[in-house]
Amino acid sequence: MVVGVFGGSFNPVHNGHIALAREVVRQGLADRVMMVLSPQNPLKEHPEALVADEDRLAMLRLACKGVPELEASDIELSMPRPSYTINTLRRLTLERPADSFRLIMGADNWAGFPRWRESGEILRHYSPIVYPRPGFPMPEAGSGARGMDASLFPVSSTEVRRRLEKGEPVNNLLPPEVLSYIKQHGLWKQTQ
């Protein structure tokens, strides 16, 4: 089985994440997509906006529940930090030898990919799938990565958090179970 590996902080996971993961499968680029929850990234702007790993994992599991082509993974939460993508991919390969893995990344990450740890090994063994991001070029033929066509759901976790903090509606941006969890746990000032 070919498994796409889609990592992120998922703070919170939103409909754009889910739509993208499903589109990878629909286009035949992978049989399933593993959505890998990343621990806090020290390079991320405003790390204080990151809710607890347990909350993000619970929301990710809720978002993937009932979607057979998706699975939520907490593999990086038990790995040494900083978490490097190549280490995650190697561990997955050891733990699931019957599967092959492909990294899913945005064109914004592809632009800086040569600076990633062991980027050459990732290209050789985990043939990245690159989705469009506004203002960033897609991979060229022969680069070792495959660009995918996708009209993406125009939403970001930053925008979702901003709306939640201001009490603005987010019903169409989040899976209903994720919104219920946010309200139930008072995340991003949601208490009702």
Side-chain angles (χ1 to χ4, degrees), residues 2-152:
V2 178
V3 180
V5 178
F6 182 16
S9 56
F10 301 118
N11 189 45
V13 60
H14 55 66
N15 288 338
H17 294 130
I18 302 303
L20 174 66
R22 295 184 83 177
E23 186 62 15
V24 166
V25 174
R26 193 191 72 73
Q27 289 187 24
L29 301 171
D31 300 308
R32 291 178 60 83
V33 172
M34 176 186 292
M35 300 183 73
V36 178
L37 183 69
S38 300
Q40 184 168 346
N41 179 343
L43 303 177
K44 281 267 190 180
E45 214 173 313
H46 306 298
E48 71 281 358
L50 197 65
V51 298
D53 292 346
E54 299 75 29
D55 287 319
R56 292 182 298 120
L57 182 59
M59 290 184 283
L60 188 59
R61 286 182 170 146
L62 287 169
C64 291
K65 188 176 179 181
V67 186
E69 62 268 35
L70 303 184
E71 61 183 284
S73 172
D74 63 355
I75 190 169
E76 287 191 354
L77 299 183
S78 64
M79 294 177 65
R81 297 179 191 186
S83 176
Y84 294 105
T85 300
I86 187 60
N87 294 337
T88 303
L89 293 168
R90 286 173 178 157
R91 182 164 164 194
L92 287 169
T93 301
L94 283 172
E95 290 182 2
R96 293 171 56 166
D99 294 330
S100 61
F101 297 92
R102 296 189 71 185
L103 178 63
I104 300 169
M105 65 168 53
D108 52 340
N109 283 318
W110 175 251
F113 185 68
R115 294 188 302 276
W116 284 31
R117 181 170 288 205
E118 305 289 344
S119 61
E121 182 178 340
I122 294 172
L123 282 175
R124 282 189 303 279
H125 299 290
Y126 303 103
S127 359
I129 300 164
V130 180
Y131 59 89
R133 294 290 288 220
F136 292 93
M138 293 294 283
E140 295 179 11
S143 66
R146 163 114 187 246
M148 68 178 280
D149 296 323
S151 54
L152 301 178

